[in-house]
Amino acid sequence: MEIAGTPVAVESVREVGSDTVALELETPDEFDALPGQFVLLRAAPEGDDEDDVLERHYTLSSPSVGETFELTVGVDPEGDLSPWLADLEGGETVHVDGPYGTITYERDQDVVAVAGGPGVGPAVSIAEAAHEAGHDAVVIYQDDEPAHRERLEALEADGATVRVVDGDADDELAEAIERHHEAGQLYAFGFEGFVTFVADAIDDAGGDPDEALIENFG
Protein backbone atom coordinates (compact mmCIF):
# COMPACT_ATOMS: atom_id res chain seq x y z
CA MET A 1 0.00 0.00 0.00
CA GLU A 2 1.20 3.50 -0.85
CA ILE A 3 0.20 6.24 1.59
CA ALA A 4 -0.24 9.71 0.13
CA GLY A 5 2.12 12.41 1.29
CA THR A 6 5.85 12.65 1.91
CA PRO A 7 7.32 9.85 4.04
CA VAL A 8 9.24 11.20 7.03
CA ALA A 9 11.08 9.44 9.82
CA VAL A 10 10.03 9.79 13.44
CA GLU A 11 13.10 11.00 15.31
CA SER A 12 11.66 10.84 18.82
CA VAL A 13 8.51 10.96 20.90
CA ARG A 14 8.52 12.42 24.39
CA GLU A 15 5.87 13.11 26.99
CA VAL A 16 5.36 16.84 27.59
CA GLY A 17 2.26 16.72 29.78
CA SER A 18 -0.68 14.62 30.80
CA ASP A 19 -1.92 12.77 27.71
CA THR A 20 0.31 14.99 25.58
CA VAL A 21 3.40 14.09 23.56
CA ALA A 22 5.82 15.99 21.34
CA LEU A 23 6.47 14.20 18.07
CA GLU A 24 9.81 15.15 16.49
CA LEU A 25 9.93 14.43 12.77
CA GLU A 26 12.73 14.50 10.23
CA THR A 27 12.33 17.49 7.94
CA PRO A 28 11.80 16.41 4.32
CA ASP A 29 13.71 18.08 1.50
CA GLU A 30 12.37 21.51 0.47
CA PHE A 31 9.99 21.59 3.43
CA ASP A 32 9.72 24.92 5.21
CA ALA A 33 7.07 26.30 7.54
CA LEU A 34 6.39 29.28 9.75
CA PRO A 35 5.12 29.18 13.34
CA GLY A 36 1.34 28.90 13.21
CA GLN A 37 1.15 26.64 10.17
CA PHE A 38 0.01 23.01 10.23
CA VAL A 39 0.54 19.74 8.39
CA LEU A 40 -1.66 16.78 7.51
CA LEU A 41 -0.19 13.62 9.04
CA ARG A 42 -1.14 10.17 7.75
CA ALA A 43 -0.36 6.73 9.12
CA ALA A 44 -1.77 3.20 9.02
CA PRO A 45 -1.57 1.85 12.59
CA GLU A 46 -3.75 -1.20 11.97
CA GLY A 47 -2.48 -2.66 8.72
CA ASP A 48 -1.76 -2.36 5.03
CA ASP A 49 -5.25 -1.78 3.67
CA GLU A 50 -6.19 1.58 2.20
CA ASP A 51 -9.07 1.76 4.68
CA ASP A 52 -6.55 1.55 7.53
CA VAL A 53 -5.00 4.94 6.74
CA LEU A 54 -5.78 7.59 9.36
CA GLU A 55 -5.09 11.28 9.01
CA ARG A 56 -5.14 14.29 11.29
CA HIS A 57 -4.05 17.92 11.11
CA TYR A 58 -1.41 19.03 13.60
CA THR A 59 0.00 22.53 14.05
CA LEU A 60 3.76 22.93 14.33
CA SER A 61 5.03 23.44 17.87
CA SER A 62 8.66 24.19 17.05
CA PRO A 63 9.67 27.85 16.57
CA SER A 64 11.60 27.01 13.40
CA VAL A 65 12.23 24.18 10.95
CA GLY A 66 15.75 22.81 10.85
CA GLU A 67 16.81 19.20 10.51
CA THR A 68 13.65 18.29 12.43
CA PHE A 69 10.33 19.88 13.35
CA GLU A 70 7.90 19.21 16.17
CA LEU A 71 4.19 18.51 16.47
CA THR A 72 2.35 18.48 19.79
CA VAL A 73 -0.23 15.69 19.96
CA GLY A 74 -3.03 15.52 22.50
CA VAL A 75 -3.58 11.85 23.23
CA ASP A 76 -7.14 10.58 23.45
CA PRO A 77 -6.90 7.15 25.14
CA GLU A 78 -10.02 6.10 23.23
CA GLY A 79 -8.75 7.48 19.93
CA ASP A 80 -7.35 5.65 16.95
CA LEU A 81 -4.30 7.61 15.79
CA SER A 82 -3.01 9.59 18.78
CA PRO A 83 -2.38 6.60 21.12
CA TRP A 84 -0.45 4.91 18.33
CA LEU A 85 1.66 8.03 17.79
CA ALA A 86 2.32 8.28 21.53
CA ASP A 87 3.66 4.72 21.60
CA LEU A 88 6.21 5.22 18.81
CA GLU A 89 9.84 4.89 19.82
CA GLY A 90 11.63 6.55 16.90
CA GLY A 91 12.64 5.14 13.55
CA GLU A 92 9.10 4.60 12.30
CA THR A 93 7.71 6.37 9.23
CA VAL A 94 4.66 8.60 8.91
CA HIS A 95 3.53 10.68 5.95
CA VAL A 96 2.95 14.43 5.88
CA ASP A 97 1.47 16.97 3.50
CA GLY A 98 1.85 20.71 3.85
CA PRO A 99 2.49 23.07 5.38
CA TYR A 100 -0.91 24.70 5.27
CA GLY A 101 -2.49 27.75 6.84
CA THR A 102 -2.39 31.51 6.55
CA ILE A 103 -2.02 32.16 10.28
CA THR A 104 1.72 32.67 10.54
CA TYR A 105 4.27 34.57 12.57
CA GLU A 106 7.00 36.35 10.60
CA ARG A 107 9.24 37.26 13.58
CA ASP A 108 8.44 40.91 13.02
CA GLN A 109 6.49 42.12 16.07
CA ASP A 110 5.51 41.56 19.69
CA VAL A 111 2.94 38.80 20.25
CA VAL A 112 0.18 37.72 22.58
CA ALA A 113 -0.45 33.97 22.19
CA VAL A 114 -3.62 32.61 23.79
CA ALA A 115 -4.00 28.84 23.99
CA GLY A 116 -6.54 26.30 25.14
CA GLY A 117 -5.60 22.63 25.51
CA PRO A 118 -3.47 21.44 22.59
CA GLY A 119 -3.21 25.01 21.31
CA VAL A 120 -0.27 25.42 23.67
CA GLY A 121 2.07 23.91 21.06
CA PRO A 122 1.76 26.66 18.45
CA ALA A 123 1.37 29.33 21.14
CA VAL A 124 4.70 28.40 22.73
CA SER A 125 6.40 28.17 19.35
CA ILE A 126 5.25 31.66 18.38
CA ALA A 127 6.36 33.10 21.73
CA GLU A 128 9.78 31.44 21.39
CA ALA A 129 10.16 32.70 17.83
CA ALA A 130 9.30 36.22 19.00
CA HIS A 131 11.93 36.10 21.74
CA GLU A 132 14.52 34.71 19.37
CA ALA A 133 13.84 37.71 17.11
CA GLY A 134 14.12 40.21 19.97
CA HIS A 135 10.40 40.87 20.47
CA ASP A 136 8.22 40.68 23.57
CA ALA A 137 5.81 37.82 24.13
CA VAL A 138 2.81 37.09 26.31
CA VAL A 139 1.41 33.57 26.65
CA ILE A 140 -2.06 33.05 28.14
CA TYR A 141 -2.85 29.36 28.52
CA GLN A 142 -5.96 27.66 29.88
CA ASP A 143 -5.71 24.01 30.90
CA ASP A 144 -6.27 21.95 34.03
CA GLU A 145 -3.09 19.95 33.36
CA PRO A 146 -0.67 22.23 31.50
CA ALA A 147 1.72 20.77 28.95
CA HIS A 148 5.14 22.11 27.88
CA ARG A 149 5.83 23.36 31.41
CA GLU A 150 9.59 23.45 30.86
CA ARG A 151 9.27 25.62 27.77
CA LEU A 152 6.80 27.93 29.50
CA GLU A 153 9.13 28.27 32.49
CA ALA A 154 12.07 28.98 30.16
CA LEU A 155 10.07 31.69 28.39
CA GLU A 156 9.15 33.28 31.70
CA ALA A 157 12.77 33.15 32.87
CA ASP A 158 13.72 34.87 29.62
CA GLY A 159 11.35 37.76 30.29
CA ALA A 160 8.09 36.67 28.72
CA THR A 161 4.78 37.12 30.54
CA VAL A 162 3.17 33.72 31.09
CA ARG A 163 -0.32 33.29 32.57
CA VAL A 164 -1.64 29.77 33.14
CA VAL A 165 -5.27 29.49 34.27
CA ASP A 166 -7.41 26.52 35.25
CA GLY A 167 -9.83 25.02 32.77
CA ASP A 168 -12.87 26.37 34.59
CA ALA A 169 -11.37 29.80 35.40
CA ASP A 170 -13.08 31.71 32.58
CA ASP A 171 -13.18 34.95 34.57
CA GLU A 172 -9.41 34.77 35.07
CA LEU A 173 -8.92 34.03 31.37
CA ALA A 174 -11.06 37.03 30.40
CA GLU A 175 -9.13 39.25 32.83
CA ALA A 176 -5.80 38.16 31.37
CA ILE A 177 -7.02 38.88 27.84
CA GLU A 178 -8.33 42.28 28.91
CA ARG A 179 -4.97 43.13 30.50
CA HIS A 180 -2.73 41.95 27.67
CA HIS A 181 -4.69 42.02 24.39
CA GLU A 182 -3.00 45.24 23.25
CA ALA A 183 0.55 44.07 24.03
CA GLY A 184 1.15 42.69 20.52
CA GLN A 185 -0.40 40.82 17.64
CA LEU A 186 -2.87 38.45 19.25
CA TYR A 187 -3.01 34.78 18.23
CA ALA A 188 -5.45 32.22 19.61
CA PHE A 189 -5.34 28.43 19.18
CA GLY A 190 -7.88 25.95 20.48
CA PHE A 191 -11.21 24.26 19.97
CA GLU A 192 -14.32 26.13 18.90
CA GLY A 193 -15.74 26.92 22.32
CA PHE A 194 -12.40 28.25 23.53
CA VAL A 195 -11.62 30.51 20.57
CA THR A 196 -15.20 31.83 20.57
CA PHE A 197 -14.73 32.78 24.23
CA VAL A 198 -11.42 34.47 23.38
CA ALA A 199 -13.00 36.50 20.57
CA ASP A 200 -15.83 37.61 22.88
CA ALA A 201 -13.32 38.54 25.60
CA ILE A 202 -11.34 40.67 23.14
CA ASP A 203 -14.56 42.44 22.14
CA ASP A 204 -15.58 42.97 25.78
CA ALA A 205 -12.13 44.47 26.46
CA GLY A 206 -12.65 47.06 23.70
CA GLY A 207 -10.48 45.31 21.11
CA ASP A 208 -11.34 44.10 17.63
CA PRO A 209 -11.59 40.29 17.37
CA ASP A 210 -11.27 40.57 13.58
CA GLU A 211 -7.69 41.76 14.05
CA ALA A 212 -6.78 38.63 16.04
CA LEU A 213 -5.34 35.62 14.22
CA ILE A 214 -7.49 32.73 15.42
CA GLU A 215 -7.07 29.05 14.61
CA ASN A 216 -10.16 26.97 15.37
CA PHE A 217 -9.30 23.29 15.89
CA GLY A 218 -12.94 22.32 15.40
Side-chain angles (χ1 to χ4, degrees):
M1 177 188 62
E2 184 172 330
I3 301 177
T6 303
V8 298
V10 177
E11 291 288 324
S12 66
V13 180
R14 70 185 191 282
E15 185 176 338
V16 294
S18 176
D19 291 328
T20 310
V21 297
L23 190 68
E24 187 176 0
L25 302 178
E26 181 183 85
T27 302
D29 292 341
E30 300 182 4
F31 177 90
D32 196 15
L34 292 169
Q37 290 189 296
F38 60 91
V39 298
L40 177 63
L41 183 148
R42 295 187 182 92
E46 297 298 330
D48 295 330
D49 204 75
E50 188 171 326
D51 292 337
D52 294 323
V53 177
L54 303 174
E55 57 184 40
R56 297 287 186 276
H57 290 103
Y58 293 108
T59 306
L60 272 69
S61 55
S62 46
S64 60
V65 173
E67 294 184 357
T68 62
F69 66 97
E70 182 189 276
L71 307 175
T72 295
V73 177
V75 181
D76 176 2
E78 303 300 320
D80 43 21
L81 180 58
S82 60
W84 181 81
L85 292 172
D87 286 340
L88 298 179
E89 298 179 351
E92 301 88 350
T93 298
V94 296
H95 292 69
V96 297
D97 279 332
Y100 303 108
T102 58
I103 293 178
T104 61
Y105 177 58
E106 303 276 356
R107 300 172 179 262
D108 56 350
Q109 58 186 321
D110 298 341
V111 298
V112 179
V114 187
V120 67
V124 168
S125 74
I126 286 173
E128 290 173 340
H131 262 223
E132 288 175 4
H135 298 289
D136 292 333
V138 176
V139 178
I140 303 169
Y141 174 29
Q142 184 178 41
D143 200 304
D144 285 327
E145 298 180 289
H148 285 302
R149 285 183 179 273
E150 290 184 3
R151 291 171 69 180
L152 290 167
E153 290 169 0
L155 276 166
E156 192 166 29
D158 207 25
T161 298
V162 176
R163 291 283 303 273
V164 179
V165 304
D166 290 339
D168 59 355
D170 287 348
D171 288 346
E172 189 176 348
L173 175 62
E175 182 274 328
I177 292 169
E178 180 180 12
R179 176 173 295 186
H180 297 291
H181 74 280
E182 295 182 319
Q185 173 61 56
L186 193 143
Y187 293 80
F189 299 92
F191 292 111
E192 184 172 6
F194 175 81
V195 296
T196 299
F197 182 92
V198 171
D200 290 343
I202 294 169
D203 190 51
D204 291 343
D208 184 354
D210 291 337
E211 293 183 357
L213 299 176
I214 296 176
E215 184 72 44
N216 182 351
F217 291 171

